[in-house]
Amino acid sequence: NGVRVAYKRMDTGGKMFWALGLNGGYGNIPDLCTGEGAFVGDLLRLGRIAGMSWEDFVHFLESREIYLDTKVGMSSTIISGVAPGTELPMVIRALAAIANERTSDDKVFEAYRRDEWLRLEKASGSSNVVVDSLMCPGYIYSRIKSQGKLSKVLLSKSDKLFEDLFSKMNDGIIVLVGDQNEAIVRKQLRGY
């Protein structure tokens, strides 16, 4: 399917370190309002994956000792983690589920907006927000979360971004570092 993979074999104690890097981030949202980009990374984790909540999906993976982290930056999106080397097929299936079976959840988003509003209200006046507004007035791509920047339409904006990113996975790369034989890794990747 054209997805590029880079594999480095080295002693990792039976672990497989992995990352999916995609070209594109919140800077690719055409009508992004000032400050909204700081929240986009959280929204990837608010969706449902293969019918499960993000939390249930993560707990399922962690029960198999597969750990993942997501980061959405201005120009790139990275899903990375570590797993036992024998769990590479499950890692690939999990990445495929995130790419192909993710749906947004309006109720979870509204709860997130409410909780984030309260959290940011407690932190209002923090030095990060003040310094950011003084140093970069009007900078649309600030990574500092501030109250009032989390709009109701951000979920639909970020959904379009994620759909676009995952539809062009062959524009990204999967990086693997582990101690398995390369032939085994190739065979496992071909299966997915």
Side-chain angles (χ1 to χ4, degrees):
N1 62 6
V3 176
R4 292 175 291 167
V5 178
Y7 176 62
K8 172 72 174 170
R9 186 175 183 187
M10 57 189 299
D11 183 18
T12 57
K15 298 284 185 193
M16 180 69 73
F17 297 89
W18 55 271
L20 168 64
L22 300 171
N23 291 325
Y26 60 80
N28 294 76
I29 298 176
D31 52 352
L32 188 71
C33 295
T34 303
E36 285 184 325
F39 299 95
V40 173
D42 293 347
L43 301 188
L44 178 61
R45 297 183 294 267
L46 295 183
R48 299 185 65 78
I49 308 295
M52 292 185 274
S53 70
W54 181 268
E55 290 80 18
D56 289 343
F57 178 71
V58 168
H59 289 308
F60 168 73
L61 293 175
E62 288 177 353
S63 72
R64 299 182 74 141
E65 297 182 20
I66 301 170
Y67 301 95
L68 66 85
D69 185 35
T70 60
K71 289 186 179 83
V72 179
M74 191 169 88
S75 60
S76 65
T77 299
I78 299 172
I79 303 171
S80 61
V82 63
T86 57
E87 290 289 349
L88 179 59
M90 181 55 72
V91 168
I92 300 300
R93 284 197 295 262
L95 291 173
I98 293 170
N100 300 322
E101 300 178 53
R102 181 190 172 279
T103 57
S104 59
D105 188 326
D106 293 333
K107 289 180 183 176
V108 173
F109 175 67
E110 283 307 316
Y112 168 79
R113 279 189 75 229
R114 183 188 63 243
D115 294 347
E116 197 67 10
W117 178 268
L118 292 172
R119 188 186 71 73
L120 291 170
E121 188 174 44
K122 287 180 187 176
S124 64
S126 80
S127 60
N128 286 341
V129 174
V130 172
V131 169
D132 187 58
S133 64
L134 290 173
M135 297 285 291
C136 308
Y139 181 54
I140 195 170
Y141 299 116
S142 173
R143 294 185 316 190
I144 306 294
K145 292 181 180 179
S146 59
Q147 200 175 12
K149 303 298 184 183
L150 183 53
S151 69
K152 288 184 177 183
V153 296
L154 184 57
L155 182 63
S156 62
K157 291 179 186 181
S158 63
D159 278 347
K160 289 176 187 171
L161 170 69
F162 299 137
E163 287 172 19
D164 184 51
L165 289 176
F166 291 127
S167 71
K168 301 184 296 186
M169 279 186 61
N170 59 350
D171 192 29
I173 187 168
I174 297 175
V175 178
L176 304 169
V177 178
D179 53 13
Q180 289 186 349
N181 185 297
E182 185 178 336
I184 293 171
V185 173
R186 281 178 186 262
K187 185 176 181 182
Q188 290 174 332
L189 289 171
R190 279 194 205 110
Y192 297 94

